[in-house]
Amino acid sequence: MATKKRSNFSGNAGTTNNSAYSLIPWLGLAAIVILLDQVSKITIARLFHYAETYSVTSFFNLILMYNKGAAFSFLAAESGWQRYLFTAIGLIAAAYITFLLKRHSSQKLFCTALALIMGGALGNVLDRLMYGHVIDFLDFHYKEIYHFAAFNLADSAISLGVALFILDELRRVKK
């Protein structure tokens, strides 16, 4: 995990203001992810009926799907308790990520990764709170033989954030 750089200066002058300002770019990035995610989901939900498909290329469709579970519809068939579990996990993760962003705000790659993960998690939390499920609409496939699980921009941001987090950790280990 990231380590905090310590200053050689003693004293607390300006600590509160600097930490508040240092969070702004990272929370801003997370907010942009949430905004793009929600706008894309609202657009698809208004233009498509459930399970309606629009072929964009030979390997990519737009489709309106609902996911009551987690990644790859994990626990989607359960009675509904999973909605609250995944909402709680997303909110707890966002709180912990905010703590990490505040603590490590000068580490750009690490914080970019965390902000993407937080934005994606909160985008899906909003879906669970508003609709009781997550709206998925990106459908990649191979010759109609194999379809990857439908996903959304929030899922993409989480995946990109995880990839950047791994890259940051690998770079840190090499130092």
Side-chain angles (χ1 to χ4, degrees):
M1 186 173 295
T3 56
K4 183 176 182 183
K5 292 183 181 180
R6 301 221 181 246
S7 171
N8 291 333
F9 301 102
S10 59
N12 296 346
T15 302
T16 304
N17 286 339
N18 286 340
S19 64
Y21 287 122
S22 63
L23 273 175
I24 290 173
W26 311 122
L27 295 180
L29 177 57
I32 289 168
V33 168
I34 294 167
L35 178 68
L36 293 173
D37 175 63
Q38 290 300 305
V39 167
S40 65
K41 289 173 179 174
I42 290 167
T43 302
I44 293 294
R46 288 191 176 171
L47 294 175
F48 286 70
H49 297 289
Y50 179 76
E52 181 181 352
T53 301
Y54 176 76
S55 180
V56 178
T57 69
S58 63
F59 60 88
F60 172 65
N61 299 328
L62 292 175
I63 185 169
L64 177 58
M65 298 299 293
Y66 303 142
N67 182 357
K68 292 184 179 188
F72 304 102
S73 296
F74 176 66
L75 296 177
E78 295 299 317
S79 62
W81 59 266
Q82 71 276 23
R83 170 187 183 188
Y84 304 105
L85 173 67
F86 295 135
T87 298
I89 290 170
L91 292 172
I92 291 166
Y96 184 63
I97 288 171
T98 302
F99 166 77
L100 290 174
L101 289 172
K102 188 173 183 179
R103 188 167 182 191
H104 305 286
S105 62
S106 65
Q107 298 175 24
K108 291 181 181 172
L109 186 59
F110 179 70
C111 288
T112 299
L114 291 178
L116 290 169
I117 293 168
M118 181 168 73
L122 290 176
N124 285 338
V125 162
L126 283 173
D127 279 12
R128 290 181 201 291
L129 291 173
M130 292 188 304
Y131 312 119
H133 55 260
V134 173
I135 295 173
D136 289 328
F137 60 91
L138 302 171
D139 175 33
F140 286 88
H141 59 90
Y142 176 72
K143 296 183 180 180
E144 298 296 329
I145 298 169
Y146 173 76
H147 283 260
F148 189 75
F151 58 99
N152 56 47
L153 293 184
D155 300 333
S156 300
I158 293 168
S159 297
L160 178 59
V162 168
L164 291 176
F165 180 80
I166 292 168
L167 176 64
D168 183 60
E169 291 303 312
L170 290 174
R171 287 179 45 195
R172 191 179 325 282
V173 168
K174 282 191 170 188
K175 285 184 181 181

